Amino acid sequence: MSGREGGKKKPLKAPKKEGKEMDDEDLAFKQKQKEAQKALDAAKQNAAKKGPLVGGGIKKSGKK
């Protein structure tokens, strides 16, 4: 074992994956996911406009 051969060997490159063909069910599922994500983003923006729901924080008793 000479000095040039020492160390970790580089792994071989994995072959590229072929783009799989999508049928109607896959396309419908992806479309449904996109619509759900858009609805979620819209709900987040509406919630951000209104501000925090509670402003109380830690409740303290009146005793000192």
Side-chain angles (χ1 to χ4, degrees):
M1 202 160 128
S2 67
R4 295 184 68 165
E5 295 176 10
K8 190 173 183 182
K9 303 277 185 186
K10 289 186 178 179
L12 296 175
K13 288 186 178 179
K16 291 186 178 180
K17 295 181 181 178
E18 294 180 20
K20 68 175 187 175
E21 297 176 14
M22 294 190 186
D23 57 359
D24 293 336
E25 291 178 12
D26 289 338
L27 292 174
F29 178 71
K30 284 205 176 241
Q31 184 67 25
K32 193 173 182 181
Q33 277 188 326
K34 282 183 184 180
E35 290 173 5
Q37 186 64 33
K38 284 181 185 177
L40 186 65
D41 290 341
K44 280 184 185 179
Q45 287 188 358
N46 285 341
K49 289 179 187 175
K50 295 178 184 175
L53 296 175
V54 291
I58 300 174
K59 278 193 169 181
K60 295 181 181 178
S61 64
K63 298 179 184 176
K64 289 191 176 180

